[in-house]
Amino acid sequence: MRAGHQRQPVRMLLILALATLPAALPAQTVSASWPDGFHNTTPGREPQTRDLLPWLWGRLTGPAIRHAPDEIARQPVDVARLHQRVDGLRVTWLGHSTVLIEIDGFRVLTDPVFSERASPFSWLGPRRLTPLPVDPARLPHIDAVLISHNHHDHLDVGSLRQLARQPGGAPAVYVPLGDDDWLREDGIPQVQALDWWQQVTLGPARITFVPAQHWSRHITRRGRDRSLWGGHVLQVGAVSVYHAGDTGYGPDFKAIGDRLGPFTLALLPIGAYQPRWLTRRQHIDPAEAVQAHRDLRARQSLGVHWGSFVLSDEPIQQPPGDLAEARRAAGVSEDEVMTWAIGETRSWSAP
Ligand code: ZN
Ligand code: ZN
């Protein structure tokens, strides 16, 4: 891994050009109640394509950013351990928003991205700067996949295809409204779309799709806000885990905590938060993650959505430092709102 400077004007211009193209497929009406696309619960100005121009100008004219992926703690996943079923909760962070959650042996993957780029193209888009800590083919059987939204650092069709071929059968794949039909057309089996607050049961698990403050667009398959976005609450017995996906700060956290909390563990994004003028509505920063942890009534939280891809202006290694500062300011311990090494596994005994 090399420390590098993120200053790639040609590549950024290509990304900008792609981002401004309409989706290749016509947008479909996904819900009669949202004829102009899906909306957040709190009205506000969402990030627009034209905001990318001043951001790009700032990147081209501002100081270079020192990304140092070598400074990010990581360890290979202990695969043999994962193949031994345990009671209670066991969680493994595979980098970014990809997390393996096991509760009493029921296995769920959130936002699986195994590819080298967070992009529909193998030659363009944010490249992985820290390696995946495991060969996904060596993971134990996955029962369900939870997809928060269709941005490419969360929904990777190649990874879903690989999981569909796993020994023992394809996992159930839960996606937001509007992302089911095109995934089925792309050959992904067992896809079910969920609306906010919709609940499904699968084996011992209850899964609830919950609101987030964000937006959606899949560069080649879905137009702007033509599919929904959100987080998930996974409950098995007395254990419950909240997976936020991508979200800005707002009243959704408190509503989720009131309706479904408290949580054994919350997976909260702590990366992609600079510059704030561009990212505030769509991504919480570390201080807002600490506040969200409290709003949710989570016993512990793990900071995710950092360390693998450069999606914004803070150095890739910076989120844990900013989180430590936010914890100090809020009087929260590092055991309560945590960061781990990429590839790390931790267990909680059955309550
Ligand atoms: Zn996103
Ligand atoms: Zn994201």
Side-chain angles (χ1 to χ4, degrees):
M1 275 302 103
R2 63 188 168 79
H5 292 262
Q6 185 73 7
R7 209 174 200 182
Q8 302 165 305
V10 174
R11 184 161 286 172
M12 288 166 81
L13 280 167
L14 274 166
I15 293 169
L16 180 67
L18 281 164
T20 54
L21 287 173
L25 290 182
Q28 298 180 357
T29 304
V30 292
S31 165
S33 56
W34 302 110
D36 57 340
F38 292 94
H39 299 272
N40 286 308
T41 53
T42 308
R45 184 183 180 281
E46 309 308 336
Q48 303 294 319
T49 302
R50 61 177 173 273
D51 296 336
L52 293 176
L53 281 172
W55 171 72
L56 184 63
W57 181 251
R59 291 298 327 113
L60 290 173
T61 58
I65 298 167
R66 191 186 74 91
H67 294 291
D70 277 351
E71 295 176 12
I72 296 170
R74 55 178 204 261
Q75 60 191 54
V77 169
D78 185 347
V79 176
R81 180 180 174 191
L82 295 188
H83 280 268
Q84 292 169 355
R85 182 194 181 283
V86 289
D87 287 331
L89 172 64
R90 184 167 63 189
V91 175
T92 304
W93 184 38
L94 302 183
H96 204 61
S97 294
T98 307
V99 181
L100 171 61
I101 306 166
E102 301 170 90
I103 311 177
D104 296 345
F106 186 84
R107 295 193 184 96
V108 171
L109 263 186
T110 63
D111 291 346
V113 176
F114 306 146
S115 301
E116 277 306 298
R117 290 187 190 273
S119 163
F121 312 107
S122 60
W123 52 276
L124 179 70
R127 191 170 61 84
R128 186 181 286 282
L129 296 190
T130 48
L132 200 64
V134 66
D135 173 358
R138 299 179 63 215
L139 289 173
H141 183 266
I142 304 299
D143 297 295
V145 169
L146 308 180
I147 301 286
S148 62
H149 64 300
N150 66 14
H151 287 156
H152 300 279
D153 57 318
H154 298 262
L155 196 169
D156 179 49
V157 177
S159 302
L160 294 179
R161 282 207 187 96
Q162 182 171 353
L163 286 163
R165 294 192 300 265
Q166 70 179 343
V173 178
Y174 297 102
V175 301
L177 283 184
D179 283 325
D180 50 340
D181 49 358
W182 68 268
L183 279 170
R184 281 189 209 105
E185 285 167 18
D186 280 7
I188 307 301
Q190 301 205 87
V191 176
Q192 183 178 347
L194 299 178
D195 200 354
W196 284 344
W197 302 114
Q198 191 175 342
Q199 265 180 3
V200 290
T201 55
L202 179 70
R206 189 169 63 167
I207 294 162
T208 311
F209 192 51
V210 293
Q213 182 173 290
H214 203 59
W215 56 287
S216 70
R217 164 179 277 177
H218 187 280
I219 288 177
T220 58
R221 300 297 259 144
R222 263 297 169 272
R224 173 73 190 243
D225 299 341
R226 293 290 152 178
S227 62
L228 194 53
W229 49 88
H232 298 89
V233 173
L234 169 68
Q235 293 168 283
V236 177
V239 175
S240 65
V241 178
Y242 164 69
H243 158 237
D246 277 354
T247 181
Y249 183 76
D252 293 331
F253 291 116
K254 186 140 195 336
I256 294 162
D258 286 347
R259 285 174 75 153
L260 298 168
F263 301 107
T264 314
L265 180 71
L267 307 173
L268 296 175
I270 60 165
Y273 51 91
Q274 285 183 357
R276 291 312 282 151
W277 67 264
L278 181 62
T279 62
R280 185 179 298 279
R281 276 285 292 182
Q282 53 181 325
H283 293 147
I284 54 176
D285 66 12
E288 289 168 329
V290 171
Q291 185 57 48
H293 162 81
R294 287 180 159 161
D295 295 351
L296 288 159
R297 299 189 292 139
R299 290 194 194 102
Q300 286 178 287
S301 292
L302 172 65
V304 298
H305 199 254
W306 71 278
S308 297
F309 305 103
V310 171
L311 305 170
S312 54
D313 283 359
E314 82 275 3
I316 189 170
Q317 70 280 11
Q318 185 172 310
D322 284 356
L323 183 68
E325 206 168 289
R327 276 193 310 249
R328 272 194 296 276
V332 168
S333 77
E334 65 180 321
D335 184 50
E336 195 176 335
V337 180
M338 308 172 283
T339 52
W340 295 357
I342 293 174
E344 187 168 346
T345 298
R346 292 197 195 180
S347 303
W348 290 256
S349 54

